[in-house]
Coordinates of all heavy atoms in Angstrom, one line a residue:
S181 N -12.9 34.7 5.4 CA -12.2 34.5 6.7 C -11.3 35.7 6.9 O -10.9 35.9 8.1 CB -11.5 33.3 6.7 OG -12.3 32.1 6.6
A182 N -10.7 36.2 5.9 CA -9.9 37.4 6.0 C -10.3 38.5 5.1 O -9.5 38.7 4.0 CB -8.3 37.0 5.6
P183 N -11.3 39.2 5.2 CA -11.6 40.2 4.2 C -10.6 41.4 4.2 O -9.9 41.7 5.1 CB -13.1 40.8 4.9 CG -13.1 40.4 6.3 CD -12.2 39.1 6.4
P184 N -10.6 42.0 3.0 CA -9.6 43.1 2.8 C -9.8 44.2 3.8 O -8.9 45.0 3.8 CB -9.7 43.4 1.2 CG -11.1 42.9 0.9 CD -11.3 41.8 1.8
T185 N -10.9 44.5 4.2 CA -11.2 45.5 5.1 C -12.0 45.2 6.3 O -12.8 44.4 6.2 CB -11.9 46.8 4.3 OG1 -12.2 47.8 5.2 CG2 -13.2 46.3 3.6
N186 N -11.7 45.8 7.4 CA -12.5 45.5 8.6 C -13.6 46.5 9.0 O -14.2 46.6 9.9 CB -11.5 45.4 9.8 CG -10.6 44.3 9.7 OD1 -10.9 43.3 9.4 ND2 -9.4 44.5 10.2
D187 N -13.7 47.6 8.0 CA -14.6 48.6 8.1 C -15.9 48.3 7.3 O -16.0 48.2 6.2 CB -14.2 50.0 7.5 CG -15.1 51.1 7.8 OD1 -16.2 50.8 8.3 OD2 -14.7 52.3 7.5
P188 N -17.0 47.9 8.1 CA -18.3 47.4 7.4 C -18.9 48.5 6.6 O -19.6 48.2 5.5 CB -19.2 47.2 8.5 CG -18.4 47.0 9.8 CD -17.2 47.9 9.5
A189 N -18.6 49.7 6.8 CA -19.1 50.9 5.9 C -18.5 50.9 4.5 O -19.1 51.4 3.6 CB -18.9 52.2 6.6
L190 N -17.4 50.1 4.3 CA -16.9 50.2 3.0 C -17.3 49.0 2.1 O -17.0 48.9 0.9 CB -15.3 50.1 3.1 CG -14.6 51.1 3.9 CD1 -13.1 50.9 4.0 CD2 -14.8 52.5 3.1
L191 N -18.1 48.2 2.7 CA -18.7 47.0 2.0 C -20.2 47.2 1.7 O -20.8 47.7 2.5 CB -18.5 45.6 2.8 CG -17.0 45.3 2.9 CD1 -16.9 44.1 3.8 CD2 -16.4 44.9 1.5
P192 N -20.6 46.8 0.6 CA -22.2 46.9 0.2 C -23.1 46.0 1.1 O -24.3 46.1 1.1 CB -22.2 46.6 -1.2 CG -21.0 45.6 -1.6 CD -20.0 46.3 -0.5
A193 N -22.5 45.0 1.8 CA -23.1 44.1 2.5 C -22.2 43.6 3.7 O -21.1 43.6 3.5 CB -23.6 42.9 1.7
P194 N -22.8 43.1 4.8 CA -21.9 42.6 6.0 C -21.3 41.4 5.6 O -21.6 40.5 4.9 CB -23.0 42.4 7.1 CG -24.2 42.1 6.4 CD -24.3 43.0 5.1
V195 N -20.1 41.1 6.3 CA -19.4 40.0 6.4 C -19.9 39.1 7.5 O -19.9 39.4 8.6 CB -17.9 40.0 6.5 CG1 -17.2 38.7 6.7 CG2 -17.3 40.9 5.6
L196 N -20.5 38.0 7.0 CA -21.5 37.1 8.1 C -20.5 36.1 8.7 O -21.1 35.4 9.7 CB -22.5 36.5 7.3 CG -23.6 37.6 6.6 CD1 -24.6 36.8 5.8 CD2 -24.2 38.4 7.6
G197 N -19.3 35.8 8.3 CA -18.5 34.8 8.9 C -17.4 34.3 8.0 O -17.3 34.8 6.9
G198 N -16.6 33.4 8.4 CA -15.6 32.7 7.7 C -16.1 31.5 6.9 O -17.2 31.1 7.0
Y199 N -15.1 31.1 6.1 CA -15.6 30.0 5.2 C -16.0 28.8 5.9 O -16.8 28.0 5.5 CB -14.3 29.7 4.2 CG -13.9 30.7 3.4 CD1 -12.8 31.6 3.5 CD2 -14.7 31.0 2.2 CE1 -12.5 32.6 2.7 CE2 -14.5 32.0 1.4 CZ -13.3 32.8 1.6 OH -13.0 33.8 0.7
E200 N -15.3 28.5 7.0 CA -15.7 27.3 7.8 C -17.1 27.3 8.3 O -17.7 26.3 8.7 CB -14.7 27.0 8.9 CG -14.8 28.1 10.0 CD -14.1 29.4 9.9 OE1 -13.5 29.5 8.7 OE2 -14.3 30.4 10.8
Q201 N -17.7 28.5 8.4 CA -19.1 28.7 8.9 C -20.2 28.7 7.7 O -21.3 29.0 7.9 CB -19.2 30.0 9.6 CG -18.2 30.0 10.8 CD -18.3 31.5 11.5 OE1 -17.9 32.3 10.9 NE2 -18.7 31.6 12.7
L202 N -19.8 28.4 6.5 CA -20.6 28.5 5.3 C -21.9 27.7 5.5 O -23.0 28.3 5.2 CB -19.9 28.0 4.0 CG -20.8 28.0 2.9 CD1 -21.2 29.5 2.4 CD2 -20.0 27.5 1.6
G203 N -21.9 26.5 5.9 CA -23.1 25.7 6.0 C -24.2 26.4 7.0 O -25.3 26.5 6.8
R204 N -23.6 26.7 8.2 CA -24.5 27.5 9.3 C -25.0 28.9 8.7 O -26.3 29.0 9.0 CB -23.6 27.7 10.5 CG -24.3 28.5 11.5 CD -23.5 28.8 12.6 NE -22.5 29.7 12.4 CZ -22.6 31.1 12.1 NH1 -23.8 31.6 12.3 NH2 -21.6 31.8 11.8
I205 N -24.3 29.5 8.0 CA -24.8 30.9 7.5 C -25.8 30.5 6.5 O -26.8 31.3 6.5 CB -23.6 31.7 6.7 CG1 -22.6 32.1 7.9 CG2 -24.2 32.8 6.2 CD1 -21.4 32.6 7.4
I206 N -25.7 29.6 5.6 CA -26.7 29.3 4.5 C -28.1 28.9 5.2 O -29.2 29.4 4.8 CB -26.2 28.1 3.7 CG1 -25.2 28.7 2.8 CG2 -27.4 27.7 2.8 CD1 -24.5 27.5 1.9
R207 N -27.9 28.2 6.3 CA -29.2 27.8 7.1 C -29.8 29.0 7.8 O -31.0 29.2 7.6 CB -28.8 26.7 8.1 CG -28.4 25.4 7.5 CD -27.8 24.5 8.5 NE -27.4 23.2 8.0 CZ -28.1 22.1 7.9 NH1 -29.4 22.1 8.2 NH2 -27.6 21.0 7.4
E208 N -29.0 29.7 8.5 CA -29.6 30.8 9.3 C -30.1 31.9 8.5 O -31.1 32.4 8.8 CB -28.5 31.3 10.2 CG -28.1 30.4 11.5 CD -27.0 30.9 12.1 OE1 -26.5 32.0 11.9 OE2 -26.7 30.2 13.3
Q209 N -29.5 32.2 7.3 CA -29.9 33.3 6.4 C -30.8 32.8 5.3 O -31.3 33.7 4.4 CB -28.6 33.9 5.8 CG -27.7 34.6 6.8 CD -28.3 35.7 7.5 OE1 -29.1 36.5 7.0 NE2 -27.9 35.9 8.8
A210 N -31.3 31.6 5.3 CA -32.2 30.9 4.3 C -31.6 31.4 2.9 O -32.4 31.9 2.0 CB -33.5 31.7 4.4
I211 N -30.3 31.1 2.6 CA -29.8 31.4 1.3 C -30.2 30.4 0.3 O -30.4 29.3 0.4 CB -28.2 31.3 1.5 CG1 -27.7 32.3 2.5 CG2 -27.6 31.6 0.1 CD1 -28.0 33.8 2.3
R212 N -30.4 31.1 -0.9 CA -30.8 30.2 -2.2 C -29.8 30.1 -3.1 O -29.6 29.1 -3.7 CB -32.0 30.9 -2.8 CG -32.4 30.3 -4.1 CD -32.9 28.9 -4.1 NE -33.2 28.3 -5.4 CZ -34.2 28.4 -6.1 NH1 -35.2 29.0 -5.6 NH2 -34.3 27.8 -7.3
D213 N -28.9 31.2 -3.3 CA -27.8 31.2 -4.3 C -26.5 31.6 -3.6 O -26.5 32.5 -2.8 CB -28.1 32.1 -5.4 CG -29.3 31.7 -6.2 OD1 -29.2 30.8 -7.1 OD2 -30.4 32.2 -5.9
V214 N -25.3 30.9 -4.0 CA -24.0 31.2 -3.6 C -23.2 31.5 -4.8 O -23.1 30.8 -5.7 CB -23.5 30.1 -2.8 CG1 -22.0 30.4 -2.4 CG2 -24.3 29.7 -1.5
I215 N -22.5 32.7 -4.7 CA -21.7 33.0 -5.7 C -20.2 33.1 -5.2 O -19.9 33.7 -4.2 CB -21.9 34.5 -6.3 CG1 -23.4 34.5 -6.8 CG2 -21.0 34.8 -7.3 CD1 -23.7 35.9 -7.3
V216 N -19.3 32.3 -5.8 CA -17.9 32.1 -5.3 C -17.1 33.2 -6.1 O -16.8 32.9 -7.4 CB -17.4 30.7 -5.5 CG1 -16.0 30.6 -5.1 CG2 -18.3 29.8 -4.9
A217 N -16.7 34.3 -5.5 CA -15.8 35.3 -6.2 C -14.4 35.0 -5.6 O -14.1 34.0 -5.1 CB -16.3 36.6 -5.7
F218 N -13.4 36.0 -5.8 CA -12.2 35.8 -5.4 C -12.0 36.3 -3.9 O -12.3 37.5 -3.6 CB -11.1 36.6 -6.2 CG -11.4 36.2 -7.7 CD1 -11.3 37.1 -8.7 CD2 -11.7 34.8 -8.1 CE1 -11.5 36.9 -10.0 CE2 -11.8 34.6 -9.4 CZ -11.7 35.5 -10.4
G219 N -11.6 35.5 -3.0 CA -11.5 35.9 -1.6 C -10.1 35.5 -1.0 O -9.2 35.1 -1.8
S220 N -10.1 35.2 0.4 CA -8.9 34.9 0.9 C -8.6 33.3 0.9 O -7.4 33.0 1.3 CB -8.9 35.3 2.4 OG -10.0 34.7 3.1
A221 N -9.4 32.5 0.7 CA -9.3 31.1 0.7 C -8.6 30.6 -0.7 O -9.0 31.1 -1.8 CB -10.6 30.2 0.8
D222 N -7.8 29.6 -0.6 CA -7.2 29.1 -1.8 C -8.2 28.1 -2.3 O -9.3 27.7 -1.8 CB -5.9 28.4 -1.6 CG -5.9 27.2 -0.6 OD1 -7.0 26.6 -0.4 OD2 -4.8 27.1 0.2
E223 N -7.9 27.6 -3.6 CA -8.9 26.8 -4.4 C -9.1 25.4 -3.7 O -10.2 24.9 -3.7 CB -8.6 26.5 -5.8 CG -8.5 27.9 -6.6 CD -8.3 27.7 -8.0 OE1 -7.8 26.6 -8.4 OE2 -8.3 28.7 -8.7
D224 N -8.1 24.7 -3.1 CA -8.1 23.5 -2.4 C -9.1 23.6 -1.2 O -9.9 22.8 -1.1 CB -6.8 23.0 -2.1 CG -6.0 22.4 -3.0 OD1 -6.7 22.2 -4.1 OD2 -4.8 22.1 -2.9
E225 N -9.0 24.6 -0.4 CA -9.9 24.9 0.7 C -11.3 25.0 0.3 O -12.1 24.7 0.8 CB -9.4 26.1 1.5 CG -10.2 26.3 2.9 CD -9.7 27.5 3.5 OE1 -8.7 28.1 3.2 OE2 -10.5 27.9 4.5
L226 N -11.5 25.8 -0.8 CA -12.9 26.1 -1.3 C -13.6 24.8 -1.8 O -14.7 24.7 -1.6 CB -12.9 27.1 -2.4 CG -12.8 28.6 -2.0 CD1 -12.7 29.5 -3.3 CD2 -14.0 29.0 -1.2
V227 N -12.9 24.0 -2.3 CA -13.4 22.7 -2.8 C -14.1 22.0 -1.6 O -15.3 21.5 -1.8 CB -12.5 21.8 -3.5 CG1 -13.1 20.4 -3.8 CG2 -12.0 22.4 -4.9
D228 N -13.3 21.7 -0.5 CA -13.9 21.0 0.6 C -15.0 21.9 1.3 O -16.0 21.4 1.6 CB -12.8 20.9 1.7 CG -11.8 19.8 1.2 OD1 -12.1 19.0 0.5 OD2 -10.5 20.0 1.7
V229 N -14.9 23.2 1.4 CA -15.9 24.1 1.9 C -17.2 23.9 1.1 O -18.3 23.8 1.7 CB -15.4 25.6 1.9 CG1 -16.6 26.5 2.3 CG2 -14.4 25.8 3.0
L230 N -17.1 24.1 -0.3 CA -18.5 24.0 -1.0 C -19.0 22.6 -1.0 O -20.2 22.5 -1.2 CB -18.0 24.4 -2.4 CG -17.6 25.8 -2.7 CD1 -17.1 26.0 -4.1 CD2 -18.9 26.7 -2.4
R231 N -18.3 21.7 -0.8 CA -18.8 20.3 -0.7 C -19.6 20.0 0.7 O -20.5 19.2 0.7 CB -17.7 19.1 -0.8 CG -17.3 18.9 -2.1 CD -16.2 17.9 -2.3 NE -16.0 17.5 -3.6 CZ -14.8 16.9 -4.1 NH1 -14.0 16.6 -3.3 NH2 -14.7 16.7 -5.4
T232 N -19.5 20.9 1.5 CA -20.3 20.8 2.7 C -21.7 21.3 2.4 O -22.6 21.0 3.2 CB -19.8 21.8 3.9 OG1 -19.8 23.1 3.5 CG2 -18.3 21.3 4.2
C233 N -21.9 21.9 1.3 CA -23.2 22.4 0.9 C -23.9 21.5 0.0 O -25.0 21.8 -0.6 CB -23.1 23.7 0.2 SG -22.2 25.1 1.0
D234 N -23.4 20.3 -0.2 CA -24.1 19.4 -1.2 C -25.5 19.1 -0.9 O -26.2 18.8 -1.6 CB -23.2 18.1 -1.3 CG -22.0 18.3 -2.3 OD1 -21.9 19.3 -2.9 OD2 -21.1 17.3 -2.3
R235 N -25.7 18.9 0.5 CA -27.0 18.5 0.9 C -28.0 19.8 1.1 O -29.1 19.5 1.5 CB -26.9 17.8 2.1 CG -26.3 16.6 2.2 CD -26.8 15.5 1.2 NE -26.1 14.3 0.9 CZ -26.0 13.2 1.6 NH1 -26.9 13.3 2.6 NH2 -25.3 12.2 1.5
L236 N -27.4 20.9 0.9 CA -28.3 22.1 1.0 C -29.0 22.6 -0.3 O -28.2 22.4 -1.3 CB -27.3 23.3 1.7 CG -26.7 23.0 3.0 CD1 -25.9 24.1 3.4 CD2 -27.7 22.5 4.0
D237 N -30.1 23.0 -0.3 CA -30.8 23.3 -1.4 C -30.4 24.7 -2.0 O -31.2 25.6 -2.0 CB -32.3 23.2 -1.2 CG -33.1 23.3 -2.5 OD1 -32.5 23.1 -3.6 OD2 -34.4 23.5 -2.5
V238 N -29.2 24.9 -2.4 CA -28.7 26.1 -2.9 C -28.1 25.9 -4.4 O -27.6 24.7 -4.7 CB -27.6 26.8 -2.1 CG1 -28.2 27.1 -0.8 CG2 -26.5 25.7 -1.8
E239 N -28.1 27.0 -5.2 CA -27.5 26.8 -6.4 C -26.0 27.7 -6.2 O -26.0 28.7 -5.6 CB -28.2 27.7 -7.5 CG -29.6 27.1 -7.8 CD -29.4 25.7 -8.5 OE1 -28.4 25.5 -9.2 OE2 -30.3 24.8 -8.3
V240 N -25.0 27.1 -6.8 CA -23.7 27.7 -6.6 C -23.2 28.1 -8.1 O -23.2 27.4 -9.0 CB -22.8 26.5 -6.1 CG1 -21.4 27.2 -5.9 CG2 -23.2 26.1 -4.8
F241 N -22.7 29.4 -8.0 CA -22.0 30.0 -9.2 C -20.5 30.3 -8.9 O -20.3 30.7 -7.8 CB -22.7 31.2 -9.6 CG -24.2 31.1 -9.9 CD1 -25.1 31.2 -8.9 CD2 -24.6 30.9 -11.2 CE1 -26.5 31.1 -9.2 CE2 -25.9 30.7 -11.6 CZ -27.0 30.8 -10.5
L242 N -19.8 30.1 -9.9 CA -18.4 30.3 -9.8 C -18.0 31.5 -10.8 O -18.3 31.4 -12.0 CB -17.6 29.2 -10.2 CG -17.8 27.8 -9.3 CD1 -16.8 26.8 -9.9 CD2 -17.5 28.1 -7.9
V243 N -17.2 32.4 -10.3 CA -16.6 33.4 -11.1 C -15.3 32.6 -11.7 O -14.4 32.5 -10.8 CB -16.2 34.7 -10.5 CG1 -15.5 35.7 -11.4 CG2 -17.5 35.3 -9.9
P244 N -15.2 32.4 -13.0 CA -13.9 31.8 -13.4 C -12.7 32.5 -13.2 O -12.7 33.8 -13.3 CB -14.1 31.5 -14.9 CG -15.3 32.5 -15.2 CD -16.1 32.8 -14.0
R245 N -11.5 32.0 -12.9 CA -10.2 32.5 -12.9 C -10.0 33.2 -14.4 O -10.4 32.5 -15.3 CB -9.2 31.7 -12.5 CG -9.3 31.1 -11.0 CD -9.1 32.1 -10.0 NE -9.2 31.5 -8.8 CZ -9.1 32.3 -7.6 NH1 -8.8 33.6 -7.7 NH2 -9.3 31.7 -6.4
L246 N -9.2 34.4 -14.3 CA -9.0 35.0 -15.6 C -10.2 35.1 -16.4 O -10.2 34.9 -17.7 CB -7.9 34.2 -16.4 CG -6.5 33.8 -15.7 CD1 -5.7 33.0 -16.6 CD2 -6.0 35.3 -15.3
F247 N -11.3 35.6 -15.7 CA -12.7 35.7 -16.3 C -12.6 36.6 -17.6 O -13.5 36.7 -18.4 CB -13.7 36.0 -15.4 CG -13.6 37.4 -14.7 CD1 -14.2 38.5 -15.5 CD2 -13.0 37.6 -13.6 CE1 -14.3 39.7 -15.1 CE2 -12.9 39.0 -13.1 CZ -13.5 40.0 -13.8
E248 N -11.7 37.5 -17.5 CA -11.6 38.6 -18.7 C -11.4 37.8 -20.0 O -11.5 38.4 -21.1 CB -10.6 39.7 -18.4 CG -10.9 40.6 -17.3 CD -10.4 40.1 -16.0 OE1 -10.0 38.9 -15.9 OE2 -10.3 40.8 -15.0
L249 N -10.7 36.7 -19.8 CA -10.3 35.8 -21.1 C -11.2 34.6 -21.2 O -11.1 33.9 -22.2 CB -9.0 35.3 -20.8 CG -7.8 36.4 -20.7 CD1 -6.4 35.7 -20.5 CD2 -7.6 37.4 -21.8
H250 N -12.2 34.6 -20.5 CA -13.2 33.5 -20.5 C -14.2 33.7 -21.7 O -14.8 34.7 -21.9 CB -14.0 33.5 -19.2 CG -14.9 32.3 -19.2 ND1 -14.4 31.0 -18.9 CD2 -16.2 32.1 -19.3 CE1 -15.6 30.1 -18.9 NE2 -16.5 30.8 -19.1
N251 N -14.2 32.6 -22.5 CA -15.2 32.6 -23.6 C -16.6 32.2 -23.1 O -16.7 31.0 -22.7 CB -14.7 31.5 -24.7 CG -13.4 32.1 -25.3 OD1 -13.3 33.3 -25.6 ND2 -12.5 31.1 -25.6
A252 N -17.6 33.1 -23.3 CA -18.9 32.8 -22.7 C -19.6 32.0 -23.7 O -19.3 32.1 -25.0 CB -19.7 34.1 -22.5
N253 N -20.4 31.1 -23.3 CA -21.3 30.4 -24.2 C -22.8 30.4 -23.6 O -22.9 31.0 -22.6 CB -20.9 28.9 -24.2 CG -20.7 28.2 -23.0 OD1 -21.7 28.2 -22.2 ND2 -19.5 27.7 -22.7
R254 N -23.7 29.8 -24.3 CA -25.1 29.8 -23.8 C -25.3 29.2 -22.5 O -26.4 29.5 -22.0 CB -26.0 29.3 -24.9 CG -25.9 27.8 -25.1 CD -26.7 27.3 -26.3 NE -28.1 27.9 -26.1 CZ -29.1 27.1 -25.8 NH1 -29.0 25.9 -25.5 NH2 -30.4 27.7 -25.7
Y255 N -24.4 28.4 -22.0 CA -24.6 27.8 -20.7 C -23.9 28.6 -19.6 O -23.8 28.2 -18.4 CB -24.1 26.4 -20.7 CG -25.0 25.5 -21.5 CD1 -24.7 25.2 -22.8 CD2 -26.2 25.1 -21.0 CE1 -25.4 24.4 -23.6 CE2 -27.1 24.2 -21.9 CZ -26.6 23.9 -23.0 OH -27.4 23.1 -23.9
T256 N -23.2 29.8 -19.9 CA -22.7 30.6 -19.0 C -23.5 31.8 -18.6 O -24.1 32.5 -19.4 CB -21.4 31.3 -19.5 OG1 -20.5 30.1 -20.0 CG2 -20.6 32.1 -18.6
D257 N -23.8 31.9 -17.4 CA -24.6 33.1 -16.9 C -23.6 34.3 -16.8 O -22.4 34.2 -16.9 CB -25.2 32.8 -15.6 CG -26.5 31.9 -15.6 OD1 -27.4 32.3 -16.3 OD2 -26.4 30.7 -15.1
E258 N -24.1 35.4 -16.6 CA -23.2 36.7 -16.4 C -24.0 37.8 -15.7 O -25.3 37.8 -15.8 CB -22.8 37.2 -17.8 CG -23.9 37.7 -18.7 CD -24.1 39.2 -18.6 OE1 -23.2 40.0 -17.9 OE2 -25.2 39.7 -19.0
I259 N -23.3 38.5 -14.9 CA -24.0 39.6 -14.1 C -23.1 40.8 -14.5 O -21.9 41.0 -14.2 CB -23.8 39.4 -12.6 CG1 -24.6 38.2 -12.3 CG2 -24.1 40.6 -11.9 CD1 -24.6 37.8 -10.8
W260 N -23.7 41.6 -15.5 CA -23.1 42.9 -15.8 C -21.7 42.7 -16.3 O -20.8 43.5 -15.8 CB -23.4 43.9 -14.8 CG -23.5 45.3 -15.4 CD1 -22.6 46.4 -15.0 CD2 -24.5 45.9 -16.3 NE1 -23.1 47.6 -15.7 CE2 -24.3 47.2 -16.4 CE3 -25.5 45.3 -16.9 CZ2 -25.0 48.0 -17.3 CZ3 -26.3 46.1 -17.7 CH2 -26.0 47.4 -17.9
G261 N -21.5 41.9 -17.2 CA -20.1 41.6 -17.8 C -19.2 40.7 -17.1 O -18.1 40.4 -17.6
I262 N -19.5 40.2 -15.8 CA -18.7 39.2 -15.2 C -19.4 37.8 -15.4 O -20.6 37.6 -15.0 CB -18.8 39.6 -13.7 CG1 -18.1 41.0 -13.5 CG2 -18.1 38.4 -13.0 CD1 -18.1 41.2 -12.0

Side-chain angles (χ1 to χ4, degrees):
S181 298
T185 177
N186 294 322
D187 186 356
L190 299 178
L191 294 174
V195 177
L196 301 176
Y199 293 105
E200 71 282 356
Q201 300 171 299
L202 177 61
R204 176 186 63 79
I205 294 171
I206 290 176
R207 293 168 181 272
E208 291 179 355
Q209 298 293 328
I211 299 300
R212 170 64 187 271
D213 294 277
V214 175
I215 300 177
V216 182
F218 306 140
S220 58
D222 59 31
E223 293 183 357
D224 279 351
E225 181 183 356
L226 275 177
V227 169
D228 290 331
V229 168
L230 290 173
R231 278 179 175 166
T232 66
C233 303
D234 279 349
R235 298 301 175 85
L236 304 180
D237 191 14
V238 294
E239 296 293 332
V240 179
F241 299 87
L242 304 177
V243 178
R245 297 289 181 182
L246 302 176
F247 68 87
E248 295 90 344
L249 304 177
H250 184 76
N251 292 322
N253 56 55
R254 65 187 308 258
Y255 292 101
T256 303
D257 286 292
E258 63 91 17
I259 294 179
W260 211 237
I262 298 179

